[in-house]
Amino acid sequence: TPHRHVTLGALTGIVADRLATADTVAAAKWRTGTPVDDPAREAQVIAAAVAAGRTAGLDPARVMTVVRDQIEVGKAVQRTLLALWRTVPATAPTAPADLADVRPRITALTGDLVSGLARDDATLRAPGCLAEVAAAVATTTATHRLDPLHAVALASASRSLCR
Ligand SMILES: O=C(O)C(=O)C[C@]1(C(=O)O)C=C[C@@H](O)C=C1
């Protein structure tokens, strides 16, 4: 519905952009054999988000739930891609990818996500939140031309946005 105003479109756009970084991260890990899980980095990402959330007046537990969800779904995307590349090596990335290049972007997008949670707080608390999220997910899926893997990931990672 092109004329409907999508309230949460900025937020689902940020979720999609953060999930898109999983491709670059997976490519870097494919090349170097680095494990998908990096608990120390996760703790850093979560601590920074909680701190930013506090400043914005957000409940730490809520920020933690949303960011953990982003991390978990991102890891699922990484594992899916790595499994595909292992199974069909011709599909594996050839362009160089570096964790050191993509992590600052992940940090920035996580900050944008926390800002978005604060900005859209009223909508995210309202009874119609899940419907708003569904509309925004549909719009972002179309505008970002998401493939099925990333469309499913976006829908999954957006559920926790409503509180
Ligand atoms: O930075 C990485 O290595 C990522 O895979 C990204 C990310 C995240 O979503 O922030 C996800 C999984 C890792 O355990 C750490 C962080």
Side-chain angles (χ1 to χ4, degrees), residues 126-150:
C129 180
L130 283 175
E132 293 290 349
V133 165
V137 164
T139 300
T140 296
T141 298
T143 57
H144 284 51
R145 300 179 188 283
L146 297 182
D147 63 24
L149 172 63
H150 294 83

Side-chain angles (χ1 to χ4, degrees), residues 18 25 29 35-39 41-42 45 70-72 74-75 78 99 102-103 106 110:
R18 195 184 193 287
V25 170
K29 290 177 178 175
V36 168
D37 290 287
D38 185 335
R41 169 65 182 170
E42 285 184 24
V45 168
Q70 307 311 306
I71 292 172
E72 288 309 317
K75 288 197 287 193
Q78 289 186 50
L99 268 189
V102 69
R103 278 185 173 171
I106 293 174
T110 308

Side-chain angles (χ1 to χ4, degrees), residues 2-45:
H3 300 294
R4 189 181 182 286
H5 178 66
V6 179
T7 314
L8 298 176
L11 207 42
T12 54
I14 294 161
V15 170
D17 289 345
R18 195 184 193 287
L19 288 170
T21 65
D23 297 45
T24 313
V25 170
K29 290 177 178 175
W30 169 259
R31 189 172 56 79
T32 56
T34 312
V36 168
D37 290 287
D38 185 335
R41 169 65 182 170
E42 285 184 24
Q44 272 180 17
V45 168

